[in-house]
Structure formats: structure tokens, C-alpha cells
């Protein structure tokens, strides 16, 4: 971490401690979560209650998450509880404001409708649906919407800006949580552009019969998160059509702030203030212009692996960039790349907005408070490896051959096929990275020497220096797209 004041770093450590406290409190009292995030940090670390942690971080980052699973396994409840804990607004309010997906859903039911009383007076006025007034929006059974209806909220998911008739509702980017059931006769495919708007996809599944009693107990304890009186007041303000939208939002904010202490006392949770959410969000999202990742940098291994991975997923040997309209590249060089096993590429929303953002968030969340206060947090390759399957599973379309290969390789997988294949392809990329790592480190050092006005020949061993010179002389001979890209860039510098 860099360029941050000691005061901000101290506050940041306190914010992360609150989120850890909330994750623990939720998982021990209100939201049974047996999911784990295994991390390859060399210490055997496992992050417990991962779905809960991811949803709490997503709320602070105004990020979107797709919650996948069979009906009844807590997808909607988890999204509502995490949103309640992050905002201090009661659980029953989120449940009452939830958007329901079904095949014949209209825009007027999801986002806004005309004020019919005003229409009779010749006045055009929009009544915004109650979901828009909450800090995060919940859409239940998203894949029951037909493709045309999905398109109605495509930009809204990404920006938080809603338009209807000649009016616009915008209160900043909001978290958008959508639940989907596994494929059946009652739902539809979600379009790739919509899938790309979600930062992460999280699976909810049967935790095991030993936990039946805990699930029943937690369901009863969730009542502590509800507040019927507050919810009634909140909805009355929203439904008061004599108030302008701005007036409604002002009154709702006052109501929310006034109830925070009572909510914390009843629930044992520590609600982050708007400024605390903002501090975490800005720390994670800030990127410097000189190529590093700003306040939370990537270490050398993480940076090179991130670049190597995105190159493999987006380049082919035969057709150049990966295009869904091109056939799969089955050439000798093509079959050695990850792009051979997928039908589409992996765009910047995937590798920047999702993978990089949540790798930074994970680095902060898993760091010791002392490391945060000292500004010593960095993203390692293991943070990337841990987050990537959740940022890739809903975006990548795997070939039929790769799906068959994955099923044959491991008949006892414990995650859905898309996530399992994402982990598998990631491991294969990492293997190819490791065989080239020494060369990549040398290339990185070569560039650093050039940028600092030093002679690379004096700082690299002779064999590696000579190898790089050969690369510069004929970049097209490189068998990997990332090495070829590096060689071309160095060749241009040498002119």
C-alpha cells in the first residue's frame, strides 16, 4: 500500500475489523454458511463463511453478485441479510422491496411506472419502485426473465442509473444481487452481456444433514434483524407521492441514521457508515497512472500471472485475439493455450473490475490489522488464484470437449461445473506460467533497468540477457502470446 495517511490506514483497519466482526456474527447467529475459500498461500489457510464475506465486501464496493443454486438453499435470504448488515436497514424491508423475476415481467413492475393520477391532469410524473431507494437491489429468480426483459435492466445493473419516460433516478452505483436457479424448464439463459455485469458468482448448496438443526435455529433468530415499525415508516415515505424523489431520499436517510444504534443493539452487528464504506471502496478501486495498482499494489508474481492469464484467455495462435465468432484454434500452438478450451474471451470487466478488485479486497480482508496500519498489504498470486474461479465461472463458455474432459477427470467434484472448470483451467494456466516464470521475471527486470536508465546487460545473467536479445530480434518466434507481446514491445523500444 502507498500514498495513504496514517490516519486513513488506521481507519481502514477498523473498517476491515468491523466487516470481519459482521461476518462472524452473521455466520454464528443468522446466516448458516458452510462455504470455504481455500487459498494457496503455503500456510494451508481456509477462509470460512466465504459467501457471507463476499456479499459483505460486495456491499461496500457497490459490486454485483450472481447467487446460483437449487431453490430453497438460502440465496435470496443471504443477499437480504448481508445487505441488511451492511446498511442497518431491517431484513423485512429488503424482502418487501425485492424485485421478482418471471417470464411476463414488465419494466413497470421492476423499476418505475407512470403516476396515473397525474396523467389525468396532463402531468407526466414517474413513480419509482421501492427497490431503487435501498442501498442494494435484490432481484429474485433473474433467469425467469426472458432475454428481452433482461435487456431492460442491462445498463442499470452496471451503472445504477435508471431511466423511465423522460425521468432519471440516480443515487450512485448500487450493489445488485440476482439469484438464479440451476437450469430447468421454467427458466431462461442469461445473456452474456448481462452475465458480464456481475463481478462474482457464488453457489449455494446443501451443506449436509448434520446442520439441519442449525439452519432451523438460524431461521428463527433472523427475526432480530426485522423491524416492522421501521419498515412501515420507510415504505410510507416511498409511497408518499406528494413528495419529490429528492425529498423522499432525504427523509429516508435521516430515518436510517436515526435507527442505527437500535439496530446494532438488537443484532450485535457493527454497521459501517457511508464514509467507512467509501474509504474501503476508494482504497480498493484507486489505481495509479504509472502502471501499478495504487494503494494496494500487486507483487511481481501476482502482476505477471494476472497479465499472463488474461493473455492466454484472450489470444489464439492462429486467429489473433479470441473471438466468439471464430472457430476454436486447434493448431499445434493453439491447443497449448487456455483459449483452446473456451468459446469466448475474458474481457476487462472480468479481469479488471472483478478479479483485480476482489483480489485486492481479499488481500485486505485476510491481512493482519498491523499490516494494514503500516501500509504493507500487497496482492499476491494466491489472492488472484482464490478469487478467479468466482469471477470467471459465469463468464467463460467452455467447449464441449473440455466439459467432457473435466467430468472424466474428477467424478467427485463438489462445485458446479462452471466453477470446477474455471479452477481447472486456472491451474493449467498457472502450470504454464511456472515453466516460464524465470524468463518473465528477467523480462520484467530488463524493462525496469531500461526505465531507470541502467544497462540490462549488467544486471541480468548472460544466458538470460542473450535469450531476451534473441526474442527482440524475432518476436514472432515466441510460442506464447504474452512472451510475444513482451518481445514486440521491447523491439519497438530498441528501434
Amino acid at each position: 500500500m502507498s500514498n495513504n495517511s496514517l490516519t486513513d490506514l488506521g481507519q481502514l483497519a477498523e473498517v476491515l475489523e468491523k466487516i470481519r466482526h459482521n461476518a462472524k456474527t452473521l455466520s454464528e447467529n443468522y446466516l448458516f454458511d458452510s462455504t470455504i475459500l481455500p487459498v494457496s498461500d503455503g500456510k494451508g489457510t481456509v477462509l470460512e463463511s466465504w459467501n457471507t464475506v463476499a456479499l459483505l465486501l460486495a456491499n461496500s464496493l457497490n459490486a454485483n453478485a450472481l447467487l446460483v443454486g437449487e431453490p430453497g438453499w438460502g440465496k435470496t435470504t443471504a443477499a437480504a441479510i448481508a445487505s441488511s448488515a451492511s446498511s442497518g436497514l431491517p431484513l423485512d424491508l429488503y424482502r418487501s422491496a425485492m424485485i421478482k423475476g418471471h417470464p411476463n415481467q414488465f419494466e413497470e413492475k421492476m423499476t418505475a411506472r407512470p403516476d396515473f393520477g397525474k396523467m389525468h391532469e396532463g402531468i407526466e410524473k414517474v413513480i419509482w419502485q421501492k427497490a431503487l431507494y435501498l442501498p442494494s437491489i435484490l432481484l429474485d429468480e433473474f433467469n425467469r426473465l426472458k432475454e428481452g426483459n433482461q435487456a431492460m435492466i442491462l445498463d442499470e445493473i452496471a451503472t445504477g442509473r435508471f431511466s423511465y419516460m423522460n425521468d432519471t433516478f440516480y443515487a450512485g452505483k448500487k450493489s445488485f444481487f440476482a439469484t438464479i436457479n440451476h437450469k430447468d424448464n421454467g427458466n431462461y439463459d442469461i445473456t452474456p452481456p448481462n452475465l458480464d455485469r456481475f463481478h462474482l458468482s457464488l453457489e449455494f448448496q446443501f451443506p449436509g444433514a448434520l446442520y439441519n438443526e442449525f439452519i432451523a435455529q438460524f431461521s428463527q433468530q433472523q427475526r432480530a434483524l426485522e423491524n416492522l415499525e421501521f419498515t412501515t415508516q420507510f415504505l410510507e415515505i416511498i409511497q408518499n407521492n406528494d413528495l419529490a424523489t429528492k425529498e423522499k431520499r432525504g427523509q429516508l436517510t435521516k430515518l436510517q441514521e436515526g435507527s442505527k444504534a437500535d439496530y446494532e443493539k438488537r443484532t450485535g452487528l457493527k454497521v459501517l457508515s457511508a464514509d467507512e464504506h467509501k474509504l474501503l471502496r476508494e482504497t480498493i478501486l484507486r489505481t495509479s497512472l504509472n502502471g501499478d495498482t495504487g494503494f494496494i499494489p500487486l507483487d511481481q508474481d501476482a502482476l505477471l500471472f494476472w497479465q499472463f492469464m488474461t493473455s492466454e484467455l484472450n489470444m489464439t495462435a492462429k486467429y489473433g485475439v479470441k473471438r466468439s465468432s471464430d472457430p476454436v484454434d486447434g493448431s499445434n500452438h493453439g491447443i497449448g493455450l487456455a483459449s483452446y478450451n473456451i468459446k469466448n474471451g475474458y474481457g476487462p470487466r472480468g479481469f479488471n473490475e472483478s478479479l483485480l478488485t476482489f483480489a485486492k479486497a481479499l488481500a485486505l480482508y485476510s491481512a493482519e490489522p498491523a499490516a494494514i496500519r503500516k501500509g504493507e498489504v500487497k496482492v499476491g498470486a494466491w489472492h488472484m488464484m482464490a478469487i478467479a474461479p468466482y469471477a470467471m465461472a459465469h463468464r467463460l463458455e467452455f467447449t464441449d470437449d473440455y466439459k467432457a474432459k473435466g467430468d472424466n477427470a474428477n467424478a467427485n467434484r463438489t462445485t458446479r461445473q462452471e466453477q470446477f472448470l474455471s479452477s481447472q483451467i486456472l491451474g493449467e494456466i498457472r502450470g504454464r506460467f511456472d515453466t516460464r516464470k524465470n524468463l518473465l521475471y528477467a523480462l520484467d527486470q530488463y524493462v525496469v533497468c531500461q526505465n531507470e536508465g541502467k544497462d540490462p546487460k549488467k544486471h541480468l545473467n548472460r544466458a538470460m540477457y542473450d535469450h531476451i536479445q534473441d526474442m527482440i530480434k524475432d518476436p514472432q518466434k515466441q510460442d506464447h502470446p504474452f512472451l510475444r507481446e513482451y518481445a514486440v514491445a521491447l523491439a519497438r523500444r530498441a528501434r
Side-chain angles (χ1 to χ4, degrees):
M1 300 173 69
S2 57
N3 303 322
N4 213 335
S5 71
L6 292 175
T7 302
D8 285 348
L9 291 175
Q11 291 173 343
L12 184 63
E14 292 175 6
V15 170
L16 268 298
E17 191 55 41
K18 282 188 177 182
I19 295 177
R20 293 189 198 99
H21 168 86
N22 288 344
K24 186 173 187 291
T25 301
L26 290 179
S27 63
E28 291 180 350
N29 298 278
Y30 305 112
L31 183 59
F32 185 81
D33 183 1
S34 61
T35 59
I36 60 172
L37 181 72
V39 293
S40 304
D41 61 351
K43 303 175 184 177
T45 304
V46 171
L47 185 63
E48 297 182 348
S49 305
W50 164 240
N51 283 351
T52 302
V53 172
L55 290 171
L56 290 174
L57 291 172
N59 268 285
S60 286
L61 294 170
N62 290 336
N64 307 325
L66 200 62
L67 288 69
V68 185
E70 297 293 340
W73 288 116
K75 303 183 296 294
T76 307
T77 298
I81 288 178
S83 297
S84 173
S86 297
S87 64
L89 295 173
L91 175 61
D92 47 331
L93 176 60
Y94 279 98
R95 284 174 166 160
S96 68
M98 190 180 305
I99 301 171
K100 299 286 187 179
H102 61 77
N104 298 314
Q105 184 70 286
F106 296 103
E107 188 175 14
E108 286 74 17
K109 287 287 187 180
M110 291 194 289
T111 59
R113 66 174 178 81
D115 185 331
F116 297 109
K118 295 295 183 181
M119 285 181 67
H120 288 301
E121 301 173 14
I123 300 172
E124 184 179 281
K125 184 181 177 183
V126 173
I127 294 178
W128 300 103
Q129 296 293 5
K130 50 193 174 185
L132 277 61
Y133 289 93
L134 300 186
S136 54
I137 296 175
L138 279 59
L139 172 54
D140 193 29
E141 299 193 358
F142 185 27
N143 58 343
R144 292 198 69 209
L145 293 176
K146 294 178 180 178
E147 287 189 8
N149 292 350
Q150 291 176 27
M152 292 190 299
I153 54 172
L154 178 65
D155 291 332
E156 287 82 347
I157 294 173
T159 66
R161 189 180 301 276
F162 293 82
S163 297
Y164 185 77
M165 297 197 301
N166 293 314
D167 203 354
T168 297
F169 185 103
Y170 184 65
K173 172 72 180 78
K174 297 171 179 283
S175 294
F176 197 103
F177 302 125
T179 70
I180 63 172
N181 297 327
H182 290 302
K183 184 68 178 175
D184 59 39
N185 293 331
N187 55 41
Y188 302 86
D189 290 332
I190 299 179
T191 62
N194 264 315
L195 287 173
D196 196 36
R197 264 62 177 180
F198 289 91
H199 296 78
L200 301 178
S201 57
L202 306 168
E203 184 179 21
F204 290 73
Q205 55 178 283
F206 175 54
L210 291 176
Y211 301 108
N212 288 353
E213 186 177 355
F214 288 99
I215 295 172
Q217 179 183 340
F218 282 19
S219 181
Q220 294 295 318
Q221 291 171 184
Q222 288 167 10
R223 293 176 182 173
L225 300 171
E226 299 177 351
N227 187 333
L228 178 59
E229 181 181 353
F230 178 96
T231 295
T232 301
Q233 289 179 279
F234 201 95
L235 294 178
E236 284 176 349
I237 295 172
I238 293 176
Q239 293 162 356
N240 185 349
N241 295 333
D242 292 329
L243 294 175
T245 300
K246 186 176 181 180
E247 292 177 285
K248 291 182 182 180
R249 283 164 46 189
Q251 290 189 21
L252 294 174
T253 299
K254 284 184 179 180
L255 184 62
Q256 179 181 0
E257 291 174 350
S259 68
K260 178 181 173 180
D262 175 66
Y263 180 90
E264 291 182 330
K265 183 178 180 181
R266 284 187 296 106
T267 64
L269 295 162
K270 298 179 180 180
V271 181
L272 272 66
S273 67
D275 286 341
E276 288 174 323
H277 282 300
K278 184 180 179 182
L279 174 62
L280 178 60
R281 184 166 58 249
E282 290 186 346
T283 300
I284 290 173
L285 297 181
R286 188 173 295 138
T287 301
S288 71
L289 299 178
N290 62 1
D292 67 30
T293 54
F295 280 64
I296 308 174
L298 277 64
D299 67 21
Q300 187 182 33
D301 194 46
L303 178 60
L304 290 172
F305 177 67
W306 179 49
Q307 294 169 332
F308 188 92
M309 179 191 74
T310 54
S311 178
E312 274 222 9
L313 291 167
N314 288 294
M315 295 297 295
T316 69
K318 187 175 182 179
Y319 305 112
V321 297
K322 180 71 177 177
R323 304 177 185 87
S324 56
S325 58
D326 285 334
V328 172
D329 178 8
S331 66
N332 289 336
H333 289 299
I335 60 175
L337 300 174
S339 57
Y340 171 66
N341 296 310
I342 55 177
K343 298 178 182 179
N344 58 338
Y346 186 59
R349 284 197 185 96
F351 61 76
N352 275 342
E353 294 181 20
S354 300
L355 176 54
L356 180 60
T357 296
F358 275 88
K360 289 181 178 183
L362 178 60
L364 271 178
Y365 185 85
S366 57
E368 293 293 334
I372 298 174
R373 292 189 180 96
K374 293 176 183 177
E376 295 176 348
V377 178
K378 287 187 177 182
V379 175
W382 69 266
H383 296 110
M384 291 278 184
M385 292 283 289
I387 290 295
Y390 300 91
M392 293 164 59
H394 56 293
R395 288 185 168 96
L396 296 184
E397 185 180 356
F398 296 96
T399 64
D400 292 339
D401 286 345
Y402 196 66
K403 290 177 183 178
K405 176 185 173 185
D407 285 338
N408 292 334
N410 190 337
N412 298 317
R413 61 178 170 85
T414 58
T415 59
R416 72 191 198 276
Q417 185 184 52
E418 298 86 351
Q419 187 173 326
F420 170 76
L421 293 177
S422 295
S423 297
Q424 181 172 276
I425 204 169
L426 191 68
E428 294 166 355
I429 296 170
R430 180 70 203 195
R432 289 187 287 272
F433 172 83
D434 286 341
T435 63
R436 298 168 172 85
K437 186 160 65 172
N438 289 340
L439 175 57
L440 290 167
Y441 274 46
L443 285 164
D444 192 48
Q445 187 179 1
Y446 190 99
V447 172
V448 169
C449 287
Q450 286 189 328
N451 291 340
E452 294 178 355
K454 299 176 182 177
D455 183 359
K457 191 174 183 178
K458 295 180 180 179
H459 294 270
L460 276 69
N461 69 58
R462 181 60 182 268
M464 197 63 77
Y465 177 81
D466 289 345
H467 188 168
I468 293 174
Q469 294 308 304
D470 290 339
M471 290 176 63
I472 293 172
K473 289 175 183 176
D474 195 349
Q476 298 307 318
K477 280 189 176 180
Q478 303 311 306
D479 67 345
H480 194 279
F482 186 50
L483 292 176
R484 188 161 53 249
E485 184 180 347
Y486 235 127
V488 168
L490 291 175
R492 285 174 179 163
R493 282 190 173 200
R495 290 172 188 166

